Amino acid sequence: MTATLYDTSKGLVEYSYAGIGPAILLLKGGHSSRDTDLSHNSLIYEGYSLLTISRPGYDLTDTSTGRTPRAFAETIIEILDHLQIDRVTVIAISAAGPTGIALAVNHPHRVEKLIMEAALTTPWNAKTKKQARLLFGKGEKAVWKGVRTLLKVSPNLAMKQIMSSLTTDPVDEYLNKLSPNDRRFIYDMLQTSRSGKGFVMDIDHTVSDLSKITVPVLGMYTQKDKSVDYSNAILLQSTVPTCEIYEVKSDSHLIWIGENAAQVWNKRLEFISQ
């Protein structure tokens, strides 16, 4: 999809908007670039229009457009106004969870529904923050260049290194169960991953008061996610009265692949359309 730059009151924001039908706003997770597709682009073929907004520090979106989830939620409203979109169903993935929550809490009249896909509802812990700053601070370009080089030389080793932080299963066991299509999914995800200045901003994000969410919420999480612990799902379910948790039988953070990928897709469509 063609990317567009919009000059908001706080700086430039990159977005793409395609399709015809009810609007879905996609907020991608950490390390995801404009080219990273975790299958959501296919929503266009289901009769929806898909608005994908790059969060601050990712792609060409200025960091000044929102250093906090709440601040960027205000910028998102500017873009919705610009595109004359009244209401959207929001899909927040992984590290984009706090932004999706901020949008639902502060602008419930613009949010039809909120879907949290392996998405954070809690702040990052100190150890993770320290590691993230070391890897994805000033040296993030070198890190991803190294990953892409390793993908060419030894795809299996590259996947093993990344997936060891995303699954609670023994990583060799996990990789051996993947289908060729699943492997291609991970390969493409890693090939298009970039952190820019976005991820080091993500790790300092705070989360709005979940109890103030009034819109319908679907949370899709797996017990085997090593990156976003299942406690995020439990907190969401116990705090938000309008929340439904769908426990995905996935073996990793990547709930969009594996034997139960079709169920995830169908559950999302069911929730959007009901």
Side-chain angles (χ1 to χ4, degrees):
M1 291 185 286
T2 304
T4 301
L5 283 177
Y6 178 62
D7 193 6
T8 71
S9 62
K10 299 176 186 175
L12 292 174
V13 173
E14 180 177 324
Y15 71 85
S16 62
Y17 188 38
I20 300 172
I24 295 175
L25 167 61
L26 177 63
L27 299 171
K28 296 181 183 180
H31 313 299
S32 294
S33 73
R34 66 176 70 86
D35 298 317
T36 306
D37 178 20
L38 304 181
S39 77
H40 297 84
N41 284 353
S42 294
L43 286 165
I44 294 169
Y45 306 108
E46 297 288 346
Y48 296 96
S49 56
L50 185 65
L51 171 62
T52 305
I53 300 179
S54 297
R55 296 186 297 113
Y58 290 100
D59 300 320
L60 295 178
T61 298
D62 291 337
T63 57
S64 58
T65 58
R67 294 187 177 278
T68 66
R70 182 169 184 173
F72 192 59
E74 301 300 322
T75 302
I76 290 172
I77 295 301
E78 272 195 61
I79 296 169
L80 295 183
D81 289 343
H82 168 67
L83 295 173
Q84 298 182 320
I85 300 173
D86 183 39
R87 290 167 69 85
V88 291
T89 290
V90 179
I91 297 177
I93 299 172
S94 193
T99 304
I101 292 167
L103 198 56
V105 167
N106 295 288
H107 300 279
H109 59 294
R110 306 299 293 271
V111 177
E112 191 79 35
K113 297 172 182 177
L114 172 62
I115 303 175
M116 300 279 283
E117 300 191 3
L120 284 166
T121 63
T122 57
W124 301 76
N125 63 54
K127 181 180 178 181
T128 303
K129 285 185 178 183
K130 184 177 180 180
Q131 291 174 338
R133 287 193 181 95
L134 287 173
L135 285 172
F136 304 110
K138 293 180 180 179
E140 66 88 19
K141 288 184 179 179
V143 169
W144 287 115
K145 183 179 180 180
V147 170
R148 290 191 292 275
T149 300
L150 190 57
L151 272 175
K152 293 178 182 178
V153 177
S154 178
N156 200 63
L157 182 56
M159 292 182 191
K160 183 176 180 178
Q161 287 189 349
I162 299 298
M163 293 310 301
S164 63
S165 65
L166 299 180
T167 177
T168 59
D169 280 350
V171 68
D172 287 323
E173 180 182 308
Y174 173 80
L175 291 174
N176 288 336
K177 290 190 292 185
L178 293 177
S179 70
N181 284 339
D182 292 339
R183 285 180 171 272
R184 169 52 63 176
F185 181 101
I186 296 174
Y187 184 95
D188 290 344
M189 180 189 75
L190 296 180
Q191 186 67 32
T192 59
S193 290
R194 306 288 187 278
S195 305
K197 297 178 181 177
F199 194 67
V200 291
M201 292 177 64
D202 289 348
I203 59 176
D204 287 325
H205 283 174
T206 56
V207 183
S208 301
D209 185 351
L210 294 173
S211 67
K212 293 183 178 179
I213 297 177
T214 56
V215 304
V217 178
L218 171 65
M220 297 200 287
Y221 296 83
T222 173
Q223 298 265 13
K224 293 188 176 184
D225 190 337
K226 193 175 180 179
S227 174
V228 177
D229 192 81
Y230 197 76
S231 59
N232 287 270
I234 295 172
L235 178 63
L236 192 64
Q237 186 174 43
S238 62
T239 311
V240 182
T242 56
C243 177
E244 173 191 358
I245 294 296
Y246 179 70
E247 185 178 335
V248 183
K249 301 303 180 185
S250 171
D251 293 328
S252 79
H253 181 64
L254 306 182
I255 62 173
W256 313 278
I257 61 175
E259 295 179 354
N260 294 288
Q263 286 92 317
V264 171
W265 181 261
N266 292 332
K267 182 62 182 178
R268 184 195 299 120
L269 288 179
E270 175 191 314
F271 180 75
I272 294 172
S273 63
Q274 68 186 11

